[in-house]
């Protein structure tokens, strides 16, 4: 493709660059490794195009097992921009990686999981100054579209305590779906109509209740939920709730299904470590959004290659550089200096 006597950058070319480059994901680096492509041409491409999350469903639909036994997992990830000064959409927000506030761009993800196999279905950029939407708005919008427009059959939705607010719990219950989520330890619950609300730590548990859970009432929630106290081997306690019928699920199953949520954390790591999703330095928000969309495209490309080869995504990416290293070891272009 030719434009002003210079080759024009395309999405395919940009995605293949994201897949292939080891550490540097800048427009300058891409331009330096393509003939007849300038930095301005790459930057212009990212600012001109409008790639969105809609393509994720096109990629994922033929790959997923769309069944009731599958899970939908939601969580957000902060793309660290700590050293940026003029990148649009960057704001101070909490990052789970650093367990503190960082300057970055937030992305809310929706992921489909079935028997350990996971695929992103949708993502939304958290930019309240641009669209006026909160993370909870994106949370509900993605779920609504997943069931009403995409026809997802998954019955269980997983998310962490940040999204376990009143409106989200009521929204999922209203969809006729089940949720499994965690509660912060300062959350108040009531064990009966006659009893006031108490802190989670004040509940006295019998061995049977630790196995079967306790039916409790949350403030401003018009239905009861099953509360489970999950104690890890190191003594850490996790408070897990579900809107499934009392007695229909036990602690071991709740714990196992709640752990499925960590697939989305793996996705976040792969996007950052293998596609450089947080390393674009373009200032305009449209360029950042397009870079994000291309990184998800790159992730799907690596995922499909990994399945075909029977390898992990990390192995597939590493293999790109293994041949180079073998060739250099056989015939080094720069040999070790030997003093006379």
């Amino acid at each position: 493709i030719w434009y002003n006597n210079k080759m024009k950058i395309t999405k395919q070319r940009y995605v293949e660059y994201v897949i292939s480059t080891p550490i540097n994901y800048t427009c300058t680096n891409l331009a330096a490794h393509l003939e007849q492509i300038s930095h301005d041409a790459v930057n212009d491409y990212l600012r001109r195009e409008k790639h969105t999350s809609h393509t994720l469903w096109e990629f994922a639909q033929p790959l997923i097992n769309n069944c009731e036994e599958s899970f939908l997992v939601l969580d957000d990830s902060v793309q660290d921009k700590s050293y940026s000064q003029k990148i649009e959409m960057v704001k101070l927000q909490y990052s789970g990686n650093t367990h503190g506030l960082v300057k970055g761009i937030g992305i809310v993800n929706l992921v489909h999981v079935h028997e350990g196999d996971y695929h992103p279905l949708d993502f939304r950029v958290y930019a309240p100054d641009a669209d006026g939407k909160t993370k909870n708005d994106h949370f509900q919008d993605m779920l609504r579209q997943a069931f009403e427009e995409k026809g997802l059959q998954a019955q269980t939705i997983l998310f962490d305590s940040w999204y376990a607010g009143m409106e989200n719990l009521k929204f999922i219950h209203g969809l006729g779906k089940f949720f499994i989520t965690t509660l912060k330890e300062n959350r108040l619950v009531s064990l009966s109509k006659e009893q006031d609300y108490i802190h989670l730590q004040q509940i006295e548990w019998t061995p049977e209740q630790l196995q079967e859970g306790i039916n409790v009432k949350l403030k401003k929630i018009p239905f009861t939920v099953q509360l489970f106290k999950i104690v890890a081997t190191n003594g850490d306690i996790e408070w897990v709730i579900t809107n499934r019928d009392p007695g229909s699920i036990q602690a071991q199953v709740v714990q196992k299904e709640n752990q499925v949520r960590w697939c989305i954390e793996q996705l976040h790591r792969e996007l950052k470590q293998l596609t450089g999703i947080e390393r674009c330095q373009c200032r305009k928000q449209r360029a950042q959004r397009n870079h994000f969309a291309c990184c998800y495209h790159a992730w799907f490309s690596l995922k499909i290659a990994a399945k075909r080869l029977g390898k992990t995504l990390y192995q597939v990416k590493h293999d790109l550089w293994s041949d180079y290293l073998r060739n250099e070891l056989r015939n080094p272009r720069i040999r070790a200096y030997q003093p006379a």
Side-chain angles (χ1 to χ4, degrees):
I1 301 174
W2 297 88
Y3 177 73
N4 290 343
N5 296 324
K6 290 186 178 181
M7 188 174 289
K8 182 181 177 182
I9 194 72
T10 64
K11 186 183 182 186
Q12 177 181 346
R13 189 178 295 273
Y14 189 84
V15 170
E16 290 171 350
Y17 164 65
V18 167
I19 293 171
S20 303
T21 184
I23 53 174
N24 191 331
Y25 294 85
T26 63
C27 297
T28 302
N29 188 54
L30 173 55
H33 290 83
L34 281 178
E35 295 181 359
Q36 300 175 322
I37 287 285
S38 67
H39 166 272
D40 290 340
V42 180
N43 193 47
D44 179 63
Y45 163 77
L46 289 175
R47 295 176 60 175
R48 181 185 67 249
E49 298 298 319
K50 191 175 182 180
H51 304 311
T52 68
S53 62
H54 295 301
T55 55
L56 267 66
W57 177 238
E58 297 175 10
F59 297 149
Q61 187 175 13
L63 302 176
I64 67 172
N65 186 344
N66 187 14
C67 62
E68 293 186 356
E69 294 75 25
S70 58
F71 299 88
L72 293 182
V73 189
L74 295 102
D75 199 4
D76 58 88
S77 174
V78 177
Q79 315 314 306
D80 194 336
K81 304 289 184 181
S82 297
Y83 301 101
S84 66
Q85 299 298 324
K86 299 181 179 180
I87 296 178
E88 296 177 354
M89 300 191 297
V90 171
K91 61 190 292 100
L92 197 64
Q93 51 195 300
Y94 180 82
S95 170
N97 282 344
T98 61
H99 300 288
L101 295 176
V102 299
K103 288 173 58 180
I105 301 175
I107 298 179
V108 186
N109 287 294
L110 172 66
V111 175
H112 182 277
V113 184
H114 181 258
E115 295 183 351
D117 197 19
Y118 54 93
H119 300 84
L121 304 182
D122 200 353
F123 75 89
R124 303 296 171 87
V125 177
Y126 173 55
D129 294 338
D131 57 26
K133 291 191 174 185
T134 66
K135 291 181 180 179
N136 288 321
D137 291 331
H138 292 308
F139 178 99
Q140 295 185 23
D141 286 347
M142 288 193 294
L143 283 177
R144 186 181 295 107
Q145 289 188 10
F147 294 116
E148 295 179 1
E149 299 178 16
K150 298 181 174 72
L152 269 295
Q153 300 299 312
Q155 289 296 302
T156 306
I157 301 167
L158 310 174
F159 46 96
D160 66 16
S161 60
W162 198 96
Y163 289 97
M166 170 188 65
E167 293 300 329
N168 288 340
L169 298 184
K170 290 167 60 177
F171 175 77
I172 295 171
H173 194 75
L175 291 174
K177 304 295 181 180
F178 301 121
F179 58 72
I180 293 179
T181 185
T182 55
L183 293 180
K184 295 180 179 179
E185 62 180 10
N186 62 352
R187 198 77 174 256
L188 298 175
V189 299
S190 175
L191 303 181
S192 68
K193 292 182 180 180
E194 297 77 20
Q195 185 177 4
D196 291 334
Y197 287 91
I198 61 175
H199 286 282
L200 295 172
Q201 298 93 331
Q202 294 177 268
I203 301 175
E204 295 182 1
W205 294 78
T206 67
E208 181 181 359
Q209 289 172 332
L210 288 172
Q211 180 68 19
E212 303 290 339
I214 298 179
N215 199 37
V216 302
K217 179 78 166 54
L218 299 173
K219 279 190 174 182
K220 299 183 180 180
I221 302 293
F223 52 88
T224 58
V225 298
Q226 285 299 102
L227 171 68
F228 292 86
K229 181 182 180 180
I230 307 299
V231 182
T233 53
N234 62 0
D236 289 345
I237 296 174
E238 199 165 37
W239 306 97
V240 183
I241 59 169
T242 180
N243 60 333
R244 289 181 176 167
D245 294 332
S248 64
I249 190 170
Q250 294 188 328
Q252 292 89 340
V253 178
V254 168
Q255 183 177 18
K256 181 179 179 181
E257 293 191 355
N258 185 52
Q259 289 173 345
V260 172
R261 182 165 48 89
W262 293 106
C263 287
I264 202 169
E265 298 296 337
Q266 179 68 16
L267 171 70
H268 292 164
R269 286 193 295 270
E270 290 166 348
L271 284 167
K272 290 181 178 182
Q273 296 174 4
L274 302 179
T275 75
I277 192 171
E278 62 184 354
R279 297 188 183 180
C280 177
Q281 298 178 5
C282 294
R283 295 181 178 180
K284 294 297 182 181
Q285 68 164 295
R286 174 44 53 195
Q288 288 289 336
R289 291 176 184 270
N290 285 331
H291 173 74
F292 295 158
C294 288
C295 287
Y296 283 93
H297 191 159
W299 183 91
F300 270 99
S301 303
L302 290 167
K303 177 80 170 185
I304 293 170
K307 280 190 174 182
R308 185 180 69 252
L309 298 170
K311 298 182 177 182
T312 67
L313 276 71
Y314 287 91
Q315 289 171 330
V316 170
K317 179 89 172 187
H318 180 266
D319 286 350
L320 296 175
W321 295 95
S322 292
D323 289 341
Y324 161 78
L325 180 56
R326 292 188 187 98
N327 290 333
E328 284 299 307
L329 292 174
R330 283 194 297 264
N331 186 25
R333 285 176 288 181
I334 301 176
R335 295 187 175 274
Y337 171 68
Q338 299 291 340

